[in-house]
Amino acid sequence: MQRYFVEQTARAGNTFTLSKDDAHHIKNVMRMDVGDEILVLDGTGLFRCRLEQLDKQTAVAELLEELPIETELPIHVTIAYALPKGDKVELVAQKATELGVSRLLVFESARSVSKWDAKKIPKKLERLQKISKEAAEQSYRAHLPTIEYVTYDEVLQCAADYTACLIAYEESAKEGEAAAFASTLSRLQSGDSLLVVIGPEGGLTETEVTRLTAGGFVPASLGRRILRTETAPLYVLSAVSYHFELKG
Amino acid sequence: MQRYFVEQTARAGNTFTLSKDDAHHIKNVMRMDVGDEILVLDGTGLFRCRLEQLDKQTAVAELLEELPIETELPIHVTIAYALPKGDKVELVAQKATELGVSRLLVFESARSVSKWDAKKIPKKLERLQKISKEAAEQSYRAHLPTIEYVTYDEVLQCAADYTACLIAYEESAKEGEAAAFASTLSRLQSGDSLLVVIGPEGGLTETEVTRLTAGGFVPASLGRRILRTETAPLYVLSAVSYHFELKG
């Protein structure tokens, strides 16, 4: 059944009012009609609904049943991703959403070649959120990831909010370190949270790594090969899914 | 140290003759000179070499020492990837190489929207091999993956060459199947081989899946979300790395 993410404000009692874009999609792309059923997700839950009203401007749907959420990772994963070159961050927003990320923090690292002009940040984030929303609908996510642009200091500061914090560190791979990631996951339980920092193309600087480790972040290898910056988040999330959803 | 993949025919005794492209890269991009050291990989091993001769046309390097190979997955993974839309197969060739794939088989599935014109296959494969070679050098791979265009029947036939065969099957995810992938990996040992079939955007047809399961392929879920066709190979390889390299 087709899924639509709506704002929490879209609900009044047992009625959801969907956006103009969604009304268009329901009517013209899906060619549905009043009486047909859709799934609505508002961040609080997943609801089976029946279309009560449908025109070019609005779609109104009546809540029939709340369904169990079965497509979210058992732990909350936040990826703090150093701004990469070009539009790789778009690939990461899409793929990380498919793979279950809860929150994506984009930050400017010392070696980030790209910079986001302050004026353009809202537009850039809006685009990433749109890509993420489409990926969430397509992959049957129940929650939309949040995407934020933060400073390196804010990444450090938010460590206290997480059960565990890691740095994906290629020097660890070169040194043969192979235990930190798996042993961290083994200590986490359903509902816990994990923050993983991933550096830019040139890697995090020594100063950045030192400040992170002083702040409780543990350097971890992601296998024996050197992954590109946009591949590392996908590895992390795939491994988390494998560990919690398939090995369980 | 910079790495160069060469054909096995590049070696004569303890001397490697590198290609014109590599000579250009060594001389003009890396700005190295006679006496500098490079790493040469010829598919049989990893060798530390010293440049003995270097001009626009040729680079000749003398073998100094064979080094241990530490960047290959402990098991051989082959991805049989149904031809996807657009240029997604290029992304998969790059990322699967980074993540350690041994062999990439591209095949036309019943629901593959794209088709490769027979005449264009050599050119298409050449391009994928180039992308894969660059990814292999960058990610410190010791072996170049092989990339082939095969028929669906050839995928079925080569099952006998593998220790285990899986189908990444989204219906398994929907049905809550969660054990097949991890239990298969748990049975594999260093040196074993795994073949994983991944369908196109519309999924494999029932007939295709039936023939695969009759041929010994086991349907397996890749977590609880529905992954896009180009994300599934990356999930498989990340999970294999996590299972064998990090969980030890």
Side-chain angles (χ1 to χ4, degrees):
Chain A
M1 208 180 300
Q2 191 64 30
R3 287 159 185 254
Y4 296 94
F5 282 96
V6 301
E7 302 284 334
Q8 283 183 37
T9 51
R11 179 170 178 176
N14 279 337
T15 302
F16 292 97
T17 304
L18 284 84
S19 71
K20 192 178 161 186
D21 279 359
D22 286 338
H24 167 79
H25 191 269
I26 292 167
K27 192 171 158 60
N28 300 321
V29 180
M30 300 304 295
R31 300 185 174 278
M32 284 192 278
D33 217 330
V34 165
D36 287 338
E37 292 186 8
I38 59 173
L39 293 174
V40 175
L41 301 110
D42 71 351
T44 73
L46 168 65
F47 306 98
R48 187 166 66 85
C49 298
R50 188 178 49 222
L51 289 164
E52 298 293 333
Q53 188 192 324
L54 182 65
D55 56 43
K56 273 186 198 171
Q57 298 297 323
T58 340
V60 176
E62 181 81 12
L63 192 161
L64 299 176
E65 181 190 13
E66 177 161 6
L67 299 174
I69 287 174
E70 289 165 342
T71 56
E72 291 298 312
L73 286 175
I75 64 164
H76 302 278
V77 182
T78 295
I79 301 286
Y81 186 51
L83 195 58
K85 284 186 197 165
D87 54 8
K88 285 178 188 171
V89 67
E90 296 187 0
L91 180 74
V92 168
Q94 183 191 68
K95 297 289 165 242
T97 300
E98 279 178 63
L99 292 164
V101 77
S102 289
R103 192 176 173 207
L104 178 62
L105 304 175
V106 181
F107 70 100
E108 202 176 290
S109 158
R111 294 204 183 115
S112 285
V113 174
S114 297
K115 314 272 169 195
W116 278 6
D117 185 31
K119 274 189 225 157
K120 290 187 181 159
I121 291 171
K123 261 256 173 328
K124 298 255 188 197
L125 285 177
E126 200 183 302
R127 175 153 172 82
L128 293 183
Q129 278 149 356
K130 183 166 178 282
I131 289 168
S132 172
K133 180 167 182 273
E134 285 170 3
E137 286 168 351
Q138 179 270 332
S139 60
Y140 291 14
R141 290 288 305 272
H143 296 303
L144 273 188
T146 52
I147 305 182
E148 298 152 67
Y149 192 76
V150 300
T151 64
Y152 170 75
D153 283 344
E154 284 169 327
V155 172
L156 269 169
Q157 283 155 21
C158 74
D161 304 337
Y162 289 85
T163 322
C165 299
L166 295 174
I167 319 167
Y169 195 41
E170 62 174 32
E171 294 304 322
S172 297
K174 289 182 190 162
E175 287 159 14
E177 184 285 312
F181 188 27
S183 72
T184 298
L185 293 190
S186 299
R187 281 188 291 107
L188 296 181
Q189 300 190 327
S190 186
D192 280 349
S193 57
L194 173 69
L195 170 60
V196 184
V197 175
I198 292 166
E201 282 83 2
L204 296 165
T205 63
E206 249 181 75
T207 314
E208 284 174 328
V209 172
T210 305
R211 284 189 65 199
L212 285 165
T213 51
F217 286 77
V218 177
S221 140
L222 304 179
R224 299 182 192 161
R225 289 152 301 285
I226 304 301
L227 302 179
R228 284 180 207 227
T229 164
E230 73 275 19
T231 314
L234 319 186
Y235 183 110
V236 167
L237 290 158
S238 299
V240 167
S241 162
Y242 179 75
H243 185 98
F244 287 101
E245 296 181 332
L246 302 187
K247 300 273 289 179
Chain B
M1 209 179 302
Q2 191 63 28
R3 286 159 183 253
Y4 296 93
F5 283 97
V6 301
E7 303 285 335
Q8 284 182 36
T9 52
R11 179 171 177 176
N14 279 337
T15 302
F16 292 97
T17 303
L18 284 84
S19 72
K20 191 178 160 186
D21 279 359
D22 287 338
H24 167 78
H25 191 269
I26 291 167
K27 193 171 158 59
N28 300 321
V29 180
M30 300 304 295
R31 300 184 176 279
M32 284 192 277
D33 216 331
V34 166
D36 287 339
E37 293 186 7
I38 59 172
L39 293 174
V40 174
L41 301 111
D42 71 351
T44 73
L46 168 64
F47 307 97
R48 187 165 67 84
C49 299
R50 188 179 48 222
L51 290 165
E52 298 294 335
Q53 188 192 324
L54 182 64
D55 56 44
K56 272 186 197 169
Q57 299 296 323
T58 340
V60 176
E62 181 80 13
L63 193 160
L64 299 177
E65 180 190 16
E66 177 161 5
L67 298 174
I69 287 174
E70 288 165 342
T71 57
E72 292 297 311
L73 285 176
I75 65 164
H76 302 279
V77 182
T78 294
I79 302 286
Y81 186 52
L83 196 58
K85 285 186 196 164
D87 55 7
K88 285 179 189 171
V89 67
E90 296 187 359
L91 180 75
V92 168
Q94 183 190 70
K95 297 289 165 240
T97 300
E98 278 177 65
L99 291 163
V101 77
S102 289
R103 192 177 172 204
L104 178 63
L105 304 174
V106 181
F107 70 101
E108 202 176 286
S109 159
R111 294 202 184 114
S112 285
V113 175
S114 298
K115 314 272 170 195
W116 278 5
D117 185 30
K119 274 189 225 157
K120 289 189 182 157
I121 291 171
K123 261 257 170 335
K124 298 255 189 198
L125 285 177
E126 200 182 302
R127 176 155 171 80
L128 293 184
Q129 278 150 357
K130 184 167 178 280
I131 289 168
S132 173
K133 181 167 182 273
E134 286 170 2
E137 286 168 350
Q138 179 270 333
S139 60
Y140 291 14
R141 291 287 304 273
H143 296 303
L144 272 187
T146 53
I147 305 183
E148 297 152 67
Y149 191 76
V150 300
T151 64
Y152 169 75
D153 283 344
E154 284 169 327
V155 173
L156 269 168
Q157 283 155 21
C158 73
D161 304 336
Y162 289 83
T163 322
C165 299
L166 296 174
I167 318 167
Y169 195 41
E170 62 173 32
E171 294 304 322
S172 296
K174 287 182 191 160
E175 287 159 14
E177 184 285 312
F181 188 27
S183 72
T184 299
L185 293 190
S186 299
R187 281 187 292 106
L188 296 181
Q189 300 189 327
S190 186
D192 281 348
S193 58
L194 173 69
L195 170 60
V196 184
V197 175
I198 292 165
E201 282 83 2
L204 296 165
T205 64
E206 248 181 75
T207 314
E208 284 174 327
V209 172
T210 305
R211 284 188 66 200
L212 285 166
T213 51
F217 286 76
V218 177
S221 141
L222 303 179
R224 299 182 191 160
R225 290 150 302 283
I226 304 302
L227 302 180
R228 285 180 205 225
T229 164
E230 73 276 18
T231 314
L234 318 187
Y235 184 109
V236 167
L237 291 159
S238 300
V240 167
S241 163
Y242 179 75
H243 185 97
F244 287 101
E245 296 181 333
L246 302 187
K247 300 274 287 179

